[in-house]
Amino acid sequence: PLGGVLALAQRARKPMQKSDTPNLAPSRRSAIRSFKVMDVVAKADRLARAGREIYHLEVGQPQSSAPQPAIRVAQEQLAADRCGYTSARGEPPLRQAIADMYLREYGVTVSTDRIHLTPGSSGAFTIAFMAAFDVGDAVAVPAVCYPCYRNLLQCYGVEVISLPVDAKYNVTAAVLAAGQHDRAAAGLPAIKGLILSSPANPTGAILTPEELKALCEHCDRTGVQFISDELYHKIVFEGAPRAACALEYSSSPIIINGFSKAYSMTGWRLGWLIAPDHLDSCVDALNQNMNVSAPTVSQRAAVAALGEEAASELAQHVKRYEDNRAVVVSGLQRMGVQTHEYAPPQGAFYLYADLGRLGVADSLGMCDALLQDAGVAVTPGVDFEEEGSGVGERRVRLSFPGTTEHVAEAMRRLVEWWESEAGLRW
């Protein structure tokens, strides 16, 4: 028996061999681009584990914790309940709290039956795309946008159409109409869908209520399924337009939102999707099959996150982000970046800068060198632009949801590196 155990131990120590089974290979649909910011996060984590001090300007993750009322509820629930599955749509108290929030903040009445809770807003994207679009459909995204829009749509066999952004980094009804006209003139299939965020990632740009109204009306008029990503609502800076909800102007859009950003609950993995009537039953079926249910303890804690006690705490986060934006802008000015070379960040917690005039033509390489040399993690613009456009190679996104002290030190190191011999190579 001992010999048998030793033999098993010997086999267990052998490295796993590549499969010799013929015809086993990744699917063609899986050949999508990686999410570059997560590649940067992984390298930053490796350096940190090796003892390096790392300053994070790459990932959109608040350094603040979830609201204290939410934490208290989670602790109570974990101590008192097994927190098993819920229905796929989610628990009624949270769906009611979300519906109450829409009435209070947007003046919109939302039926709780149309609210579907998902494991993060990422879970809502996958369901929305599968519910609304078929293989071969043409779906439009802004030329500069959250990379997972493109990557996931491509994975589902959708033709992704990049629409140019205007001078304010927005896609408006006029921009969409021009894209539709160009496709019709070329004899190409009509655009079936549009997804965008406002406030936007990576630019922080916001559509005015009037622009959003015109866009919703144009989508309804031309049969375009609009998906409104409203994840950064509530993170809007002084002087910016109001972040309106698409449901104020139409009942047709799919609304996606969640607790990760405005509520500092990234790891709690809780988002929601508001489905229009024509998609409600298929969204429910997809959610049942793909997700079963969103995390139960997160759902219960989120009710408290939407309450009055948490509101003042969350408002302080937004004030800090606004202070951090000023720190980032000041650092970029010291680097020689001019105001017209970055998107005007009106909301969210990002600044998207074009460093092409200053000589940057390989943002991926530059960000890698900055992390290695100075311990500052920044996201290359190639994550957000259409592959092969050449635009992302000269742009970077700076994320500033951390403490003001952390952001200030990160920018100090970035400017120091930029002015050093190592930085001058870029």
Side-chain angles (χ1 to χ4, degrees), residues 5 32 36-37 96 139 156 159 170 226 239 257 318 321 368 375:
V5 170
I32 59 175
K36 302 301 180 190
V37 66
Q96 185 62 58
V139 177
Y156 298 146
E159 180 189 2
N170 285 318
F226 180 33
N257 207 326
V318 178
Y321 303 151
D368 189 64

Side-chain angles (χ1 to χ4, degrees), residues 86-320:
T86 72
S87 71
R89 289 179 186 264
E91 291 196 324
L94 178 55
R95 287 189 285 134
Q96 185 62 58
I98 291 171
D100 291 345
M101 183 269 290
Y102 277 92
L103 183 60
R104 181 174 65 250
E105 300 194 5
Y106 304 108
V108 172
T109 299
V110 176
S111 169
T112 57
D113 290 338
R114 290 175 57 197
I115 298 171
H116 302 258
L117 298 173
T118 58
S121 60
S122 299
F125 290 135
T126 58
I127 290 172
F129 294 164
M130 296 190 77
F133 309 126
D134 287 314
V135 172
D137 283 345
V139 177
V141 300
V144 50
C145 68
Y146 178 57
C148 296
Y149 299 162
R150 279 195 188 90
N151 296 347
L152 289 173
L153 287 168
Q154 187 179 41
C155 182
Y156 298 146
V158 169
E159 180 189 2
V160 182
I161 309 300
S162 289
L163 296 176
V165 294
D166 66 11
K168 297 188 296 180
Y169 286 81
N170 285 318
V171 166
T172 61
V175 171
L176 175 58
Q180 291 170 310
H181 176 271
D182 290 346
R183 285 185 68 82
L188 296 171
I191 292 174
K192 185 171 180 180
L194 167 69
I195 179 169
L196 56 77
S197 58
S198 174
N201 176 9
T203 63
I206 300 178
L207 289 164
T208 66
E210 295 76 20
E211 289 170 332
L212 182 59
K213 181 176 186 289
L215 187 61
C216 289
E217 291 174 347
H218 183 78
C219 286
D220 285 348
R221 199 164 48 243
T222 58
V224 172
Q225 178 61 67
F226 180 33
I227 302 177
S228 183
D229 175 0
E230 301 180 356
L231 188 62
Y232 294 95
H233 277 216
K234 294 181 178 291
I235 307 178
V236 176
F237 302 136
E238 187 175 348
R242 178 177 72 87
C245 175
L247 292 178
E248 296 177 47
Y249 311 113
S250 172
S251 61
S252 300
I254 299 170
I255 306 299
I256 292 176
N257 207 326
F259 290 89
S260 292
K261 310 300 183 178
Y263 300 89
S264 297
M265 296 174 70
T266 51
W268 298 64
R269 305 316 299 143
L270 186 60
W272 73 82
L273 182 156
I274 301 177
D277 288 340
H278 66 281
L279 294 177
D280 186 73
S281 61
C282 64
V283 164
D284 188 32
L286 286 165
N287 203 15
Q288 290 170 352
N289 281 278
M290 296 176 71
N291 299 319
V292 181
S293 67
T296 302
V297 69
S298 299
Q299 291 187 51
R300 294 172 184 174
V303 176
L306 289 168
E308 289 185 15
E309 185 182 350
S312 59
E313 184 180 342
L314 297 172
Q316 289 303 308
H317 296 340
V318 178
K319 176 63 172 65
R320 185 176 72 254

Side-chain angles (χ1 to χ4, degrees), residues 382-423:
V382 292
D383 216 12
F384 309 101
E385 307 279 352
E386 187 173 17
E387 191 171 13
S389 68
V391 179
E393 283 79 359
R394 62 176 194 256
R395 292 176 172 176
V396 297
R397 187 193 72 176
L398 300 148
S399 178
F400 48 85
T403 65
T404 302
E405 294 75 19
H406 183 97
V407 173
E409 177 60 17
M411 290 305 298
R412 186 195 69 77
R413 289 175 174 232
L414 169 55
V415 173
E416 183 179 85
W417 177 83
W418 180 259
E419 294 173 343
S420 71
E421 185 177 342

